[in-house]
Each structure stands twice: as structure tokens, then as C-alpha cells.
Amino acid sequence: MTDVLMDLPPDPILERRRIIQETASKKIGRRQLNSRILSGVFGLTLVLSLIPLVSVLATLIKRGVSVISWGFLTHDPIQPTLINQKAVGGIGNAIVGSLVVDGIAALVAVPLAILIGLYLAETESRTANFMRAITEIMTGLPSILLGVFSYIYIVLTMKAYSGFAAIVAITFLMVPVITKAAETAIRGVPHTLREAGLALGARNSKVSRGVILPVAAPGLITGVLLSLARAVGETAPILLVIGISGRTDWNPFHQMSALPLDIYQDSASGYASQQQEAWGIALVLVVAVLVLSLGSRFVAARMRREQR
Amino acid sequence: MTEESSSTKTRLLGRGLTGGIHPPVKSDLGYWLSIRAGALIFGGAIVLFVWSILHQSFSAWTSHGIHLLTGTVWSPSTSNYGALPLILATLITTAVALLVAVPIGLGTSLTIIFFLPQRLKTPLTSLVELLAAVPSVVYGLWGLFVLVPWMNTTIEPKLASITGGGFPFNGATNGFGLLLASIVLSVMILPTIVAISRDVIAAVPHEQIEGALSLGATKSQTLLKVVLPEARTGIFGAITLGAGRALGETIAVAMVIGSNPQIPKSLFSTGATLSSTIATEFGEASGAQLAALGALALILMVITASVNAGARSLTRRALRGHA
Amino acid sequence: MSMTQDELNPTRATEPITNGQSTVSTLTPPAMRLENVSVSFNGRTAVRDCTFNVASNRVTSLIGPSGSGKTTLLRSLNRLHDLTRSAKVEGKIMLGDIDVYGGSLPPTLLRSRIGMVFQRPNPFPTMSIYDNVVSGLRFNGVKKKALLDEAAESALISAALWDSVSSRLKAHGSTLSGGEQQRLCIARALAVEPEILLMDEPTSSLDPISTQRIEELMVELKNRVTIIIVTHNMQQAARVSDDCAFLLMGEDRAGELIEFGPTAKIFNDPSDPRTLDYIQGRFG
């Protein structure tokens, strides 16, 4: 008789569903709160990341702007003395030194890196893979080791400190970085282009020069400018080998100064005027680095647009 | 390409170097050779580089042997060249830097990827990357003149009060020292950690996230239990890469650590790392000291090269898709 | 090519249809109701004005050529579009007597009641099989081992996976084949005991044998959950579903619901000529 309702055992599925929903409803408030707290924590870390950046830039501007003037950028330094504590002069020699060292290093590093980049991009062999690995590891090596290397082979041999020794160290610094960018840029060129060039009868070298490199140029230029941005700020590789000089000197075989080195030395000075000067130099240096870094992106974007 | 020219090439340059493009015309041999010449020159330079540091430190190893690594006194004036204080300081500053930078860096990547509107992602990523553009010496300057007073008056006393003057926040506070160096290092490795972890976290397939959410997970549950575990190989790669950078950082550390090559007694002590010692002592060194510094360079090179190699293999594994 | 009565599941009861209402008798309330549901992205409508009821403990299929908005519509049911800032869902979607977009039910709780299986199997690679299956329960705060074990076993049995994995529950999900991985995902979704199970082309990446097994599964699972499945495979819809919604992309590139009704009617005697065209193979 259907009007007597039997006591059926509860359906386990429905029972589980009930328990699960009960638990879920009970815990949802807590879980949502945890989610919000954690999101807040994550957001906080972003803020924490940016605080040092803001602090550094703000301090650079605050303490460095007052030091800078045209005279500051062009004149040579004056050593302050106990009598004349405020005298600082300028960083003309350091600017020239950085130009000489980094400029010549770039001139040497770029062609070399392009050749190596072509080799790595076009060769499939264990040797090439090994070279690539070594190059990548080199980009992460402490730059002071490059200074040690240059000291041993150049300074000790020539029995003198020189800008040349610094150039050797910086070249060694730049080549792996540019090579990596070069290989990526060259690999990015569709190999149908090379095949087309060869099919037209051109030699490989001509194809590379005329077709591949121009197409890879944006990536290459980015790599060069970025490695320059890094090189300009490096103190360690040149610290041990470049010597010291208070005069503007364009001869790389003499001792010279450089911007980051100047900052390093001034920061240790007992004279407040020199400590202050360090901030001015630092501002100039950071501006130079920013111009190079942002410039690399800008130039690459411009060139890519023109390629279309 | 004639038979004879190809076998000549093989004889001259060995099998390892042949591969890839073969010059179709004999006159293209120039190209083929020159790109390999570039690699050879650089390869040779690297060999010279490694050899120079090995050779420089020979006499130090032969005169002091293992004592170089285990000796607890580094005092060139008394001909003591025990690098243990330097090794310890290097490891401690790197470890603390990682402790600070990794959570902040991971959190920053997660925020940028999952909590920012689309139009803010690129600008904020660029801002964090800007941290990497600041030269080491400028960080040293900042650490020296901005952080030192702040550490001295605020941070270090606060930390000391947490442990009641006990380890590791014991001893006199002078602003300089291991803690400051660690903090400056953490700022310097932050962009590395953010950049790499951002790549690996963004590589976690969207279907995984949808899968977790469709089961009823909250956003943070998804991030913690699904996204981060899947990205963990790459995250370890990022951490290792950051460690590599911290281990080798020279100038900023030299400017704030106090150049005191003694076994550190607390995070507040001054000290000296492998790289900072090379930087500060090289200029005046000669003879035995120079050789010992060469030995430091060798230790540094071995440590950083292996850490970087490890980081490289981890990140490649991760980006290839293994969790 | 229309289906004949014989080719359809003979055990299913089909009733004469009026007004596109579903097969279920009026005594059982529909599991979900859609009224004028539209989804747009950045102002561009992807699917427009869908109205139909989803019957409880039945399989409802959304069919139509690609681009007709079926998946978009499906994902609006468990609020998966919340992840996309540019997405806007309009209209009313009711789960029982709760408005899905009303705000009384947090999306996380909603998704514990409406589960989803995706086109490509997506087990969590860092978790073991067991952990995968119970992951949904753990997310929702269920911790008691006894309950987890019970739910896992039940779900794996329902997904026809228990026999092959019960001995290696600690193994990683990646050791399973494609078809097994998809069944693992089904088990994972079932373990939370949802009322509704959404399936987005669940067999399109699988081989025919796995496909058949999952289709058999669907028919059995009806007793436990209400299934809504998106499929571009007409024959599959004919095989497994009780009700069918046919969507088509309109001239403005927005999908719209052309016809809804019991599968038998849709396939044998559709009201709309466009439905007939699709069934006979003129589209997609």
C-alpha cells in the first residue's frame, strides 16, 4: 500500500551532498577572508618592491641635482684640501674615461659578438651548444673576476695600469650579453630568407650581411645598447686595472678615470663636498643608463615598424 | 663543393666544428671560417680567463692548501689567509638576501599577473625591471648614505628588541654590516626573481586555473595549491639565479659591509665577502697576498659558475613544461 | 542525416512536445532556468537571448556549428566569465530558486554546486590521483579523511575508474591515458557532489573507445547529477541527451538559440528549418 511511507535508508549521495554543502557554507566566510588577506599581502609585496626604486631615484634627484652644472660636466676634478674643503671641480675626466673605455670596448665587442651569434644560430653541434652554455654562464659571472683576468694578463705584462686593461675587461663583459641578443635576433629571421638569398646565387657572407643582419638589426641594437647600459655602470672590472687620473685623457694606454669609479672613490672620501659630488655623478650615470636602456627599446620599436 | 675541399676542412677543423651551413662555393670558405673564428677567439679567451685565475692562485694553494678554505683568520699583514670568515659572510648575506627577496619577488609576480588590470601590467613590470638598471655603485651609495642612518636608528634596534638582544640580532649596531649588505643585495636580486618567476608563472596553463576555480576554489587557494606548485621548478630556477647574482655582487657589498674580514658574530657585525675582499685589497696587494686573492677569485668563480649552471638547467626544464 | 527512432535510446521516455518545453513532467522543478541570457565581450555580443529550462537528472545538450556560442553560454552557468574583465552576462540564470548572478550565493559556493569538465583533460600535474579527486573537497574545506575517502571511492566508481586506479591512488595523474585522465577529471568534479555537471566537449580530444565509455558514463550519471553538455558532434548529442538546444551564429556574429526541445523532436521533427538543415548536415 502506497500510503504507508517506508523509512528508506538515506541516499548516501544526497547525504554526502548535504554534508559537503554544510561544510562549504560554514567555511566560505573564512576562506573568502583568507583570500582577501592574501591578496592584500601580495599587493603589499608589489609596493615593497617599488619602495627602493622610488627611494633611490628620489635621493638621486634630491642630492644630485644641485651638484650638476655645465662646468661640472666638463671640468676636471679639484682635490679638496683642509683649507679649501668645498672645492670639487668636475667630472670631465671621468666622462671622457667612460666614453673611451666603453666606446672602444663596444667597437671590439659588437663585431665579435655578431660573428659568434651567427655561428651559434646557424650551427647545430655539440660544440655550439657547449659554447652557448658557457656564454650564458659568463653573463652571470661576477664582473670582478674579469678585472682579475685583465690585471693578470694586461697590467702585469705591461707593468702599468691603463684604460686599455679596462677595455679588455669590459669587452669580455659585453661579448656574452650581445652574443645572446644576437643569436636570438638572428634565429628570429625566417630561414626562408637565407634560402632565398642563396637561391639567387649569393654567397653566404653576402646573404648574411645583406639580408639576415638587417632583419636582425632591431634585436641586435637592443642587445648592444643594453650591454652598454650595463657596462657604463660597472665598477668592479675596471677598479683593479684602470689606475687613477685626475686629468682628462683620451689615450687609452694611460691611466684614466670613469664615472662609476669616481662615485666609488668619492663615497669613501672624508670630505662632505666629495660625498655630495658622488650623488651628482650618480645622477649623471643613472641618466646615461636610462637613456641607453629606454633608447634601446625605442630604437628597436622604430626599426621594427619600418620593417613592416 | 668538391670532395677534396670538404675533407680538407674536416681535417683542419675537426668534426666538432662542422655542422650547419656548408659553403656551396669554395670562395665562401671565408664566411664559414670567420664565424668560427669568432667563436674560437672567444673560446680561447675564456680558456685564458679560467687559466689566469687558476694560475694566479697556484702558489696560494701550494703554500696554504686546505687551510685557505678552513682557516678562520684572514689577515694579510700577518700572512694569515684563512678564507672561512669570507665564505661565511658570503653565504650569510646571500641567504638573508634570498629570505627577503624571494617572498617579495614571488608576491610581486603573482600580483602583476593575477591582480592587476591589463593596462597596468606592462608599466608596473617595467618599473620593477628598472631596479635592474641601477648600477651597483649607486646602490652602494644609497645603502651608505640613506640606509645606514635608518638602520642605525630604527631597524636594528627594533630587530634587537625582537630577540631581546640575542642571536642573530646581537651586538652593537652601527648601521653597516651583514644585515645592511643583505638588504641591499635583496633589492638588487629582486628584479631577477620577479622577471623569471613571472615567465614561469604565466606559463601555467589557464585550464589548470579554470579547473581549480570550477571546483569551488578561491583565488588564493588556486594560486597557492595549483599555480605555485606547478611553477615550482622555474621558481627554484629564479631563486638559484638570484643566489648566483647575490654571491658575486661586489661593489655595493664592499661599500656597506664594513670590510672587516672576521667571523661574523651576528647580523649586525661588519664583515667581508669573497668578492668585497678582492675589491678592497687587490689594489695594494702583491706576492703572497695577491696569490691568496687569486685563490678567492677561483673559489668565487667555481661557486658562481656552478650556481648559474644549475639555475640555467632548472629554468630550461621549467619552460619546457615540467613542473 | 536525421536519426531514426530506433537509433535513439529506446529506453528513454519521450513525450509529445509543445512550445519547446522539456521532457520532464511538470512535477519535477527544472534544475536550472535560463531567461534571456546574453553574453558579450567588450560590447560585442557573443551569444544572445537564450531561454530554456534544464531538466533535473537529465542530459541536456547544446549543439550547433562552431562559433555559435555554445561554450560561451555554458561557461556563464558557473560564472567562469567572472575571470574575464571584458565579459558581461545579462539575463537571468536560476539554480533552483537562487539567482546565479544575484549575489546571494558567492561564486565559489556556486561552483561547488555546479561542476565542470573541460575539453582537454586537466588533472593537476603535481598531485596524485587521490589528491586530484579530493582536491575539490579540500578546497571547500572538507577535511575528514573518512569523508574524503568515501567520496573519492564513490566518484571513481561512478567514473568507471576505480578498478584501474584503486591500487595506485598515490601515483601521479600523468601516468594515466588520455581517456582515463578525462575520467579522472569527471571523478574530481563528481567528488564534490554537485547538482549540475557542465561538460564542454568532453570527448573531442579522445579516441573513439574512450569516447564511447564516457558516453556510457553520462547516461548512468544522470541519476546522480544533471548534465549539460556542449558537443559539436551531432551523433553524440543524439546518443546521450534527453533535451537539446540548437544554437546558430546569426548575421551579427552573435549566437542565438534557434530551437530547444527533446532530442527526439529536434532530430526527427524540428520546428525550425535551420535546425533541419543542421541535422541534415548542411552546416558546420
Side-chain angles (χ1 to χ4, degrees):
Chain A
M1 301 264 276
T2 54
D3 50 342
V4 174
L5 284 175
M6 307 279 292
D7 248 345
L8 296 169
D11 180 347
I13 290 178
L14 289 180
E15 187 54 28
R16 257 205 307 278
R17 184 177 290 167
R18 190 188 61 78
I19 299 181
I20 292 172
Q21 283 304 314
E22 215 176 80
T23 317
S25 308
K26 231 176 19 186
K27 306 227 169 155
I28 185 72
R30 188 74 184 292
R31 285 168 60 212
Q32 282 183 319
L33 183 65
N34 284 345
S35 195
R36 282 203 193 106
I37 293 179
L38 212 62
S39 308
V41 169
F42 289 150
L44 185 65
T45 59
L46 176 60
V47 171
L48 283 176
S49 294
L50 294 177
I51 290 180
L53 181 68
V54 171
S55 173
V56 170
L57 292 178
T59 317
L60 278 171
I61 296 179
K62 201 174 81 171
R63 301 197 193 190
V65 162
S66 52
V67 177
I68 298 184
S69 66
W70 182 250
F72 179 71
L73 294 174
T74 50
H75 293 156
D76 287 341
I78 303 172
Q79 177 63 26
T81 58
L82 285 172
I83 310 162
N84 190 5
Q85 295 205 6
K86 286 261 166 82
V88 270
I91 53 171
N93 66 332
I95 293 186
V96 166
S98 282
L99 278 173
V100 168
V101 170
D102 300 320
I104 299 182
L107 281 175
V108 175
V110 171
L112 190 59
I114 291 182
L115 281 179
I116 304 177
L118 279 170
Y119 168 69
L120 288 178
E122 297 175 352
T123 314
E124 299 290 331
S125 74
R126 288 232 311 262
T127 317
N129 288 341
F130 184 66
M131 267 241 71
R132 184 179 303 117
I134 298 282
T135 308
E136 265 186 48
I137 294 181
M138 287 291 299
T139 61
L141 275 204
S143 52
I144 186 120
L145 296 178
L146 301 176
V148 173
F149 160 67
S150 178
Y151 183 86
I152 293 170
Y153 279 125
I154 312 289
V155 174
L156 286 183
T157 317
M158 289 175 55
K159 299 209 198 308
Y161 297 111
S162 65
F164 175 65
I167 292 174
V168 168
I170 298 285
T171 307
F172 219 138
L173 180 82
M174 292 178 79
V175 167
V177 180
I178 305 179
T179 303
K180 197 148 161 224
E183 189 195 346
T184 312
I186 294 171
R187 272 189 196 271
V189 178
H191 52 108
T192 48
L193 281 179
R194 175 179 286 284
E195 287 161 16
L198 287 174
L200 287 173
R203 296 189 316 216
N204 258 316
S205 54
K206 271 226 163 35
V207 173
S208 288
R209 268 211 313 270
V211 176
I212 307 285
L213 290 185
V215 175
L220 279 174
I221 299 205
T222 307
V224 173
L225 289 177
L226 283 179
S227 80
L228 260 176
R230 187 177 154 191
V232 146
E234 284 277 353
T235 319
I238 63 180
L239 175 66
L240 310 178
V241 300
I242 201 172
I244 197 163
S245 170
R247 297 177 309 114
T248 300
D249 198 336
W250 291 88
N251 184 341
F253 291 99
H254 294 168
Q255 298 184 25
M256 41 183 38
S257 182
L259 288 171
L261 192 59
D262 223 2
I263 302 175
Y264 184 66
Q265 286 162 347
D266 275 351
S267 70
S269 161
Y271 292 101
S273 57
Q274 282 191 324
Q275 291 177 359
Q276 173 82 354
E277 183 193 25
W279 285 103
I281 313 175
L283 182 56
V284 171
L285 186 61
V286 169
V287 166
V289 171
L290 282 179
V291 164
L292 285 167
S293 308
L294 297 175
S296 75
R297 278 189 231 181
F298 178 68
V299 166
R302 265 305 267 308
M303 292 185 80
R304 283 211 185 86
R305 239 179 295 138
E306 276 167 32
Q307 275 182 355
R308 288 184 195 283
Chain B
M1 185 170 69
T2 64
E3 286 297 310
E4 115 196 2
S5 69
S6 74
S7 67
T8 312
K9 269 200 301 300
T10 314
R11 247 194 315 119
L12 285 176
L13 297 159
R15 298 250 298 265
L17 286 179
T18 58
I21 304 281
H22 289 287
V25 185
K26 225 160 110 172
S27 61
D28 220 3
L29 188 56
Y31 173 77
W32 196 85
L33 275 178
S34 58
I35 64 175
R36 278 160 179 74
L40 264 177
I41 292 177
F42 191 61
I46 295 181
V47 171
L48 280 179
F49 165 63
V50 175
W51 173 249
S52 70
I53 297 186
L54 271 172
H55 181 71
Q56 176 67 18
S57 54
F58 262 172
S59 61
W61 293 108
T62 49
S63 12
H64 306 278
I66 198 70
H67 183 76
L68 264 176
L69 292 175
T70 57
T72 56
V73 178
W74 178 274
S75 166
S77 50
T78 57
S79 289
N80 271 311
Y81 297 112
L84 193 61
L86 311 179
I87 297 177
L88 275 180
T90 307
L91 292 176
I92 293 176
T93 50
T94 300
V96 176
L98 285 173
L99 263 170
V100 174
V102 170
I104 297 184
L106 280 183
T108 305
S109 311
L110 287 173
T111 308
I112 293 181
I113 297 178
F114 293 110
F115 293 96
L116 285 186
Q118 190 62 37
R119 57 193 159 85
L120 281 184
K121 287 194 211 230
T122 328
L124 276 160
T125 310
S126 304
L127 273 182
V128 178
E129 278 173 12
L130 220 50
L131 278 171
V134 176
S136 169
V137 67
V138 175
Y139 276 122
L141 201 63
W142 175 69
L144 202 50
F145 293 114
V146 175
L147 288 190
V148 165
W150 185 56
M151 292 284 286
N152 227 348
T153 50
T154 320
I155 295 295
E156 289 188 354
K158 268 216 187 79
L159 288 172
S161 66
I162 295 180
T163 59
F167 186 81
F169 298 126
N170 49 325
T173 73
N174 28 28
F176 290 84
L178 292 192
L179 185 60
L180 179 58
S182 306
I183 293 187
V184 173
L185 277 178
S186 68
V187 174
M188 295 177 77
I189 65 177
L190 194 63
T192 306
I193 296 188
V194 171
I196 309 248
S197 58
R198 212 191 59 231
D199 284 341
V200 295
I201 289 175
V204 173
H206 206 237
E207 298 133 22
Q208 292 291 319
I209 300 173
E210 288 180 351
L213 288 173
S214 64
L215 289 167
T218 60
K219 204 161 184 180
S220 64
Q221 279 176 319
T222 311
L223 290 180
L224 287 179
K225 300 263 168 66
V226 174
V227 175
L228 284 184
E230 280 193 45
R232 63 175 177 225
T233 311
I235 292 177
F236 287 141
I239 295 177
T240 315
L241 206 58
R245 279 212 59 192
L247 289 166
E249 178 46 53
T250 312
I251 293 295
V253 171
M255 289 167 83
V256 302
I257 201 169
S259 298
N260 178 15
Q262 289 193 344
I263 303 256
K265 295 209 180 51
S266 90
L267 281 179
F268 291 169
S269 345
T270 51
T273 61
L274 290 166
S275 51
S276 79
T277 308
I278 300 177
T280 47
E281 294 189 8
F282 214 84
E284 319 273 293
S286 62
Q289 189 185 13
L290 201 58
L293 289 175
L296 292 185
L298 182 62
I299 300 172
L300 192 61
M301 183 170 74
V302 168
I303 295 181
T304 50
S306 21
V307 169
N308 280 334
R312 191 171 175 267
S313 90
L314 276 174
T315 15
R316 291 178 103 211
R317 266 190 70 204
L319 288 175
R320 239 182 289 146
H322 302 120
Chain C
M1 178 190 44
S2 61
M3 298 286 120
T4 64
Q5 279 279 27
D6 307 339
E7 286 168 284
L8 296 171
N9 186 337
T11 63
R12 264 179 318 138
T14 58
E15 297 183 75
I17 304 313
T18 52
N19 296 335
Q21 292 307 302
S22 75
T23 48
V24 174
S25 73
T26 47
L27 288 179
T28 325
M32 291 192 82
R33 281 180 298 129
L34 282 78
E35 282 173 39
N36 302 107
V37 177
S38 305
V39 184
S40 59
F41 298 99
N42 270 332
R44 198 181 51 81
T45 314
V47 64
R48 185 225 323 279
D49 223 12
C50 298
T51 303
F52 60 92
N53 290 348
V54 177
S56 289
N57 296 105
R58 294 279 185 268
V59 178
T60 302
S61 64
L62 307 182
I63 63 171
S66 44
S68 48
K70 323 185 283 290
T71 301
T72 309
L73 184 63
L74 189 78
R75 286 162 155 246
S76 66
L77 300 181
N78 67 344
R79 296 190 68 158
L80 217 47
H81 289 303
D82 284 8
L83 298 181
T84 316
R85 278 176 218 266
S86 59
K88 194 157 119 159
V89 177
E90 292 162 299
K92 209 147 77 139
I93 301 180
M94 304 294 289
L95 172 69
D97 48 7
I98 299 178
D99 185 344
V100 167
Y101 284 85
S104 60
L105 191 63
T108 29
L109 271 188
L110 173 77
R111 297 188 192 119
S112 69
R113 294 172 60 174
I114 305 182
M116 190 156 189
V117 174
F118 296 80
Q119 188 169 345
R120 281 195 315 233
N122 57 353
F124 301 129
T126 57
M127 295 190 198
S128 66
I129 294 176
Y130 178 80
D131 288 333
N132 256 289
V133 176
V134 299
S135 57
L137 291 166
R138 289 203 177 118
F139 283 142
N140 279 288
V142 176
K143 291 210 187 93
K144 270 180 51 179
K145 188 87 171 32
L147 186 53
L148 292 178
D149 289 345
E150 191 188 309
E153 188 175 330
S154 168
L156 283 169
I157 292 176
S158 298
L161 210 52
W162 178 252
D163 291 330
S164 47
V165 305
S166 60
S167 54
R168 47 188 177 120
L169 288 174
K170 295 292 180 197
H172 273 268
S174 46
T175 57
L176 301 174
S177 71
E180 288 174 323
Q181 284 191 16
Q182 189 64 304
R183 278 182 282 147
L184 175 62
C185 294
I186 294 176
R188 181 176 72 182
L190 288 177
V192 184
E193 303 295 353
E195 296 150 41
I196 318 263
L197 184 63
L198 306 177
M199 304 182 97
D200 186 3
E201 306 211 28
T203 58
S204 60
S205 67
L206 302 177
D207 61 274
I209 296 188
S210 308
T211 301
Q212 186 187 358
R213 284 181 110 178
I214 291 186
E215 286 181 7
E216 286 162 8
L217 220 56
M218 278 190 242
V219 176
E220 286 162 22
L221 288 175
K222 269 199 294 203
N223 298 318
R224 189 179 175 136
V225 289
T226 303
I227 297 183
I228 308 177
I229 173 173
V230 164
T231 177
H232 64 262
N233 182 338
M234 271 191 310
Q235 289 84 347
Q236 181 173 79
R239 283 192 292 267
V240 304
S241 63
D242 302 293
D243 294 320
C244 198
F246 171 59
L247 285 89
L248 194 59
M249 181 160 65
E251 267 147 25
D252 55 348
R253 319 213 76 215
E256 50 184 341
L257 176 65
I258 303 295
E259 190 171 341
F260 175 83
T263 307
K265 168 140 192 349
I266 295 283
F267 278 86
N268 296 338
D269 182 25
S271 314
D272 195 299
R274 289 171 290 184
T275 316
L276 184 62
D277 281 343
Y278 180 68
I279 303 293
Q280 293 184 339
R282 295 229 189 103
F283 299 119

